[in-house]
């Protein structure tokens, strides 16, 4: 694969940002999925654990995961959310003998392709993907920085984050009651605001639109959530 010939197709899950599938195109993404064995997960399952050896990477065929980092004092930070068309765990695979730097947990039903370390590295080398993986890592970093910048605690930003998760898990066309296994604290960490701020914004968006349950956020009215994402009711 010579030069920058990556397709500009928009894969499923694009609402969470630029995915690897979007950079390399559907044919090559399909070839990567074929390199691994398929595995299904339920919401709440830990797919990769911080500190474990990097024996394989995971290509997300469907569903949404959260990426978290545990500090030495036990504090857990939400670094990112990833959706279909993306890869997780590839950084440890690329560094020989390296331990995983973060934990990856499903926040919806997921299906992944488990690509063993040697197969993943050969695939990357065969198709000249090292530059695009580096580019993708930089894009991810920029997305995380933007999520925490600006009016992170506005109704608009909270609603946008929730809509991105719903869309990435394939629930954008679903009926009411889309359940996301993400807590208010995790949303707060991701947006760089307090849990109380997220709780207040959810109340302002309205109980008929979105509600917080035990260990989850439930979207009751997607149209109402889209309206909140377009215009902040507080007008700040």
């Amino acid at each position: 694969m010579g030069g920058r010939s990556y397709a500009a197709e928009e894969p499923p899950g694009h609402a969470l940002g630029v995915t690897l599938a979007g950079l390399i195109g559907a044919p090559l993404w399909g070839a990567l999925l074929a390199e691994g064995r398929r595995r299904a997960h339920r919401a709440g399952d830990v797919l990769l654990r911080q500190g474990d050896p990097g024996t394989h990477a995971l290509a997300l065929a469907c569903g949404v995961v959260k990426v978290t980092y545990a500090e030495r004092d036990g504090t857990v930070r939400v670094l990112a959310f990833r959706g279909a068309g993306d890869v997780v765990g590839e950084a440890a695979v690329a560094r020989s003998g390296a331990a995983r730097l973060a934990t990856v947990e499903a926040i919806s039903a997921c299906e992944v392709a488990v690509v063993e370390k040697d197969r993943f590295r050969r695939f990357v080398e065969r198709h000249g993907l090292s530059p695009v993986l580096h580019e993708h890592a930089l894009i991810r970093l920029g997305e995380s920085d933007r999520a925490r910048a600006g009016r992170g605690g506005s109704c608009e930003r909270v609603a946008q984050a929730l809509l991105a998760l719903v869309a990435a898990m394939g629930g954008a066309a679903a009926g009411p009651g889309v359940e996301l296994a993400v807590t208010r604290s995790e949303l707060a960490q991701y947006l760089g605001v307090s849990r109380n701020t997220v709780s207040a914004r959810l109340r302002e968006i309205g109980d008929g639109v979105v509600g917080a349950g035990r260990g989850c956020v439930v979207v009751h009215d997607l149209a109402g959530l889209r309206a909140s994402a377009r215009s902040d009711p507080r007008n700040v």
Side-chain angles (χ1 to χ4, degrees):
M1 189 173 187
R4 285 300 312 273
S5 60
Y6 311 115
E9 299 177 34
E10 195 174 66
H14 64 276
L16 288 183
V18 179
T19 63
L20 182 62
L23 290 175
I24 67 177
L28 199 52
W29 174 251
L32 177 58
L33 291 177
E35 289 285 328
R37 66 183 188 279
R38 292 297 184 104
R39 192 170 72 189
H41 288 277
R42 297 175 297 180
D45 285 355
V46 174
L47 281 61
L48 303 172
R49 196 176 299 277
Q50 182 178 335
D52 284 355
T55 57
H56 58 277
L58 300 178
L60 298 173
C62 66
V64 185
V65 301
K66 64 184 177 185
V67 182
T68 63
Y69 175 76
E71 305 278 5
R72 290 186 177 181
D73 63 2
T75 302
V76 177
R77 295 191 291 120
V78 176
L79 302 179
F81 298 103
R82 300 282 174 244
D86 230 330
V87 171
V88 291
E90 80 283 5
V93 166
R95 304 190 313 276
S96 182
R100 301 202 185 280
L101 298 178
T103 293
V104 176
E105 182 179 338
I107 68 167
S108 75
C110 293
E111 185 178 341
V112 302
V114 182
V115 186
E116 299 300 330
K117 176 176 65 176
D118 291 342
R119 291 181 71 91
F120 185 83
R121 294 171 75 167
R122 284 197 299 268
F123 185 89
V124 169
E125 183 178 356
R126 185 162 67 247
H127 296 285
L129 294 180
S130 289
V132 78
L133 286 174
H134 178 69
E135 177 185 358
H136 191 223
L138 294 177
I139 290 172
R140 283 174 163 178
L141 182 61
E143 288 172 351
S144 295
D145 288 344
R146 285 192 298 275
R148 293 162 178 80
R151 292 159 51 205
S154 70
C155 290
E156 184 178 9
R157 292 292 298 278
V158 172
Q160 287 171 353
L162 291 173
L163 279 176
L165 294 175
V166 171
M169 66 179 282
V178 178
E179 185 173 308
L180 301 168
V182 61
T183 67
R184 284 167 288 178
S185 294
E186 290 165 343
L187 277 175
Q189 292 167 27
Y190 178 62
L191 293 169
V193 297
S194 71
R195 181 181 183 276
N196 286 342
T197 295
V198 169
S199 296
R201 299 297 85 81
L202 291 177
R203 287 194 299 270
E204 289 181 33
I205 292 171
D207 292 339
V209 176
V210 63
R214 187 175 181 84
C216 70
V217 172
V218 182
V219 178
H220 302 295
D221 180 358
L222 280 169
L225 191 60
R226 291 189 187 102
S228 293
R230 288 192 296 268
S231 177
D232 187 351
R234 296 184 306 133
N235 194 29
V236 296

